[in-house]
Amino acid sequence: MPKSSLWGVMMSKKSKKDNRKRRPPLSLLDKSIYLTGLFLSFILSLLFAFCFEDITGIIAFQDSSVVAYNSHASFLFALPFLFYVEISALVFCIVSLEDKKPVFGNRKIQYGETPWAKDCFPLFDSRRKKIYIKPSKKRFHRHMIILWFVGLLLCSLIAPLGFFCRDCLTHNNSIVTYNMLNQEELAPYTPEDYSHLNIQAKYVSGYRMADYWKYEITIRMKDGKSFTFSNRDFNWREPNCQERCLKKMLDIKTFFTPDAITIKEKHSIDKVADYLGMNDEQKQLLQELFS
């Protein structure tokens, strides 16, 4: 057979093969669905990151004796679930866009007919059920789905562990530490265990939010362990939180002698007061705390 004829046969076979794989362009609606999925997966991940403190706050303040809490780095346990869902959504939407998998389809296109692929039908088209799929391919898809759900289950079981690990300051000035199973880790520390108090104004460069000013106390115990609570660790859902925060810190200050107290950045308290929008009474309490 002449080379030209052989080449023509090969190109003809390739053309027929390509035609069997050709998929029509996605409709505007289908593209919008996938792009919305990509957008929502990103937004929901950010929302989860921002709401993490709200969730831990709800858990901590369920105990009416708690006035402030500080979460540990156990929030990392929640990250696998977040990344798993985010990456799954991204991969699904991107692959579906590249493979041009129709959801509702386009009425102007004759799906399953030449020149389009024989197995290309919209998601809700009843003709999809009649497509022949090799048993080996069905088993592979089934195994992949099961594997995905197993991964989701494992990440879901680990995620709650990131919400419970925290230090809590109570109304009676005890400090209770909870582990990742929401159980008390050790016997509570009481004012009799206090050794040194550090009071500080601090400027924080936020990585998830705007920069801000805060004031905080760090209580060091006789055994060397330290606990830090800032004004942001109190329950801001309750009224008059600023006054309650300042009065509680002043209450804790009374347990220490002057030589057991260290005050840092006293010159910055005006900036703290301005940032937090304190009134005259609150400013006076702040001055007393740093005096």
Side-chain angles (χ1 to χ4, degrees), residues 155-207:
C155 292
S156 300
L157 291 174
I158 295 173
L161 300 178
F163 294 101
F164 301 124
C165 206
R166 64 194 184 277
D167 299 320
C168 294
L169 177 65
T170 64
H171 284 287
N172 65 359
N173 299 314
S174 296
I175 297 176
V176 185
T177 297
Y178 290 88
N179 60 24
M180 62 184 65
L181 298 177
N182 203 30
Q183 298 174 338
E184 289 189 23
E185 204 167 55
L186 300 169
Y189 287 94
T190 64
E192 287 74 22
D193 300 309
Y194 292 178
S195 172
H196 191 88
L197 179 67
N198 186 78
I199 303 172
Q200 182 176 5
K202 185 179 288 187
Y203 179 76
V204 181
S205 298
Y207 65 96

Side-chain angles (χ1 to χ4, degrees), residues 10 12 34 37 44 55 67 104 153 177 187 200 202 283 289:
M10 291 174 63
S12 177
Y34 289 128
L44 291 175
I55 297 171
V67 295
F104 293 102
L153 177 62
T177 297
Q200 182 176 5
K202 185 179 288 187
K283 289 179 181 179
L289 178 65

